Amino acid sequence: MRIDLHNHTTRCNHAKGSMQNYIERAIELGIDIYGFSEHAPMDFDEHYRLKFNEMQDYTTDVKTLKEQYKNKIKILLGYEVDYLKGYIDERVIHANVDYLIGSVHFLDKWGFDNPEFISEYQNQDIDDIWQSYFDAVEAMAKTGYFDIVGHFDLIKVFQYMPKKDIRLIAQNALKAIKEAGMVLELNAAGLRKPIKEIYPSPLLLEMAYELNIPITFSSDAHAIGQVGYKYKEVIALAKKTGYTQAVTFEQREKELITF
Ligand SMILES: [Zn+2]
Ligand SMILES: [Zn+2]
């Protein structure tokens, strides 16, 4: 069984291709379970995400495709939700979806994964930046609002690495993820970024495995050509770490499948 749960649509204004084309491509690649997880609405950085008044249309579009393609592929409805204090919105948290991905893209409103704001890395100690990032992931897990952790070590994106042992920086976040019953995604987008590595790194994935934290798979596609991105590499990392099963969701309920 092949799963890909983290994918975007043109509604976030930074992805290309129709939803139908994403699905057609997923079917071509033999993906069995495909989830849309558009950037959820939020009253911050509004341009690069759904609008609140588009939630219904997005839902309808996904459900229409789900019905249309039901004999070929299982389509799921989700959101990728930004964890940013003060901006969590009930309409998103309580949306009727299959799953919610919780992601940290902002540290005190600094879009640290955006090349436009890369100079900010020079203004703070790199260990402090990494720690603030994983503190935010820990706080996100502790809310209990989300099912999947989006790109767990996104802070490595530009390859500014900490001096301190990453395992020490990330350990409390992993414990919170375990306690919250959340799932880690193996996200291939890192392979398209300067770091050229899957999120999370092999080292952090090993820690997750030791904690019995389940995983799922994501290409984080923002273009048709990114659907199922580097799947072989991603599967190889999971297997090498010891995983044989991955999680899919239906109406916020986990289901384990063998990949
Ligand atoms: Zn995006
Ligand atoms: Zn993301």
Side-chain angles (χ1 to χ4, degrees):
M1 284 275 260
R2 189 167 168 178
I3 317 175
D4 190 346
L5 294 192
H6 185 154
N7 296 287
H8 295 278
T9 80
T10 51
R11 282 198 164 91
C12 66
N13 294 318
H14 62 276
K16 287 195 181 99
S18 73
M19 291 168 86
Q20 194 146 6
N21 286 343
Y22 280 83
I23 293 301
E24 300 273 355
R25 179 64 181 147
I27 293 168
E28 207 172 272
L29 291 170
I31 292 170
D32 302 282
I33 303 173
Y34 183 92
F36 285 105
S37 59
E38 188 53 292
H39 293 284
M42 171 168 81
D43 289 323
F44 181 73
D45 194 37
E46 294 94 332
H47 183 64
Y48 295 111
R49 58 192 64 257
L50 268 183
K51 311 276 174 286
F52 282 104
N53 64 15
E54 288 176 318
M55 289 174 81
Q56 190 52 58
D57 286 349
Y58 167 67
T59 303
T60 306
D61 285 354
V62 173
K63 290 196 169 159
T64 305
L65 289 169
K66 185 188 179 88
E67 180 59 25
Q68 189 183 338
Y69 286 97
K70 67 181 177 195
N71 296 326
K72 290 184 173 164
I73 191 167
K74 184 166 186 177
I75 298 175
L76 301 180
L77 170 66
Y79 285 111
E80 181 183 16
V81 185
D82 272 90
Y83 177 71
L84 184 60
K85 257 199 183 142
Y87 290 90
I88 302 286
D89 196 288
E90 297 284 312
R91 288 168 283 182
V92 170
I93 298 309
H94 300 300
N96 186 10
V97 292
D98 291 309
Y99 57 90
L100 294 176
I101 300 174
S103 293
V104 175
H105 298 111
F106 298 97
L107 293 174
D108 288 334
K109 298 193 180 174
W110 167 37
F112 64 85
D113 71 330
N114 185 337
E116 248 182 89
F117 310 121
I118 195 168
S119 65
E120 181 59 23
Y121 281 93
Q122 309 311 320
N123 298 336
Q124 294 180 48
D125 179 75
I126 192 64
D127 285 1
D128 292 344
I129 295 174
W130 273 66
Q131 194 60 65
S132 324
Y133 171 78
F134 281 104
D135 287 351
V137 174
E138 181 184 350
M140 183 263 289
K142 285 182 170 165
T143 64
Y145 291 151
F146 311 103
D147 305 294
I148 300 171
V149 185
H151 35 62
F152 177 58
D153 55 354
L154 178 63
I155 192 68
K156 72 184 175 184
V157 58
F158 297 121
Q159 225 178 355
Y160 293 126
M161 305 310 274
K163 293 158 273 167
K164 201 173 156 181
D165 188 333
I166 291 171
R167 290 170 295 188
L168 294 178
I169 299 176
Q171 65 182 359
N172 288 340
L174 275 174
K175 279 182 202 152
I177 288 162
K178 169 69 185 169
E179 275 161 31
M182 289 178 78
V183 173
L184 273 193
E185 60 168 8
L186 265 68
N187 182 317
L191 295 167
R192 309 191 289 265
K193 299 291 159 80
I195 184 72
K196 294 207 167 17
E197 184 180 87
I198 293 163
Y199 308 114
S201 67
L203 203 62
L204 291 177
L205 189 62
E206 236 166 75
M207 279 175 84
Y209 181 75
E210 277 157 25
L211 286 168
N212 267 315
I213 296 173
I215 55 163
T216 192
F217 298 110
S218 296
S219 61
D220 207 343
H222 287 73
I224 307 298
Q226 293 170 355
V227 174
Y229 195 74
K230 304 267 186 187
Y231 184 71
K232 279 189 188 152
E233 253 176 78
V234 175
I235 285 288
L237 173 63
K239 286 192 173 156
K240 196 175 158 223
T241 311
Y243 285 101
T244 54
Q245 291 190 306
V247 174
T248 178
F249 290 88
E250 199 160 343
Q251 295 279 301
R252 314 287 307 262
E253 293 290 331
K254 287 192 201 82
E255 190 192 336
L256 269 172
I257 59 156
T258 301
F259 55 83

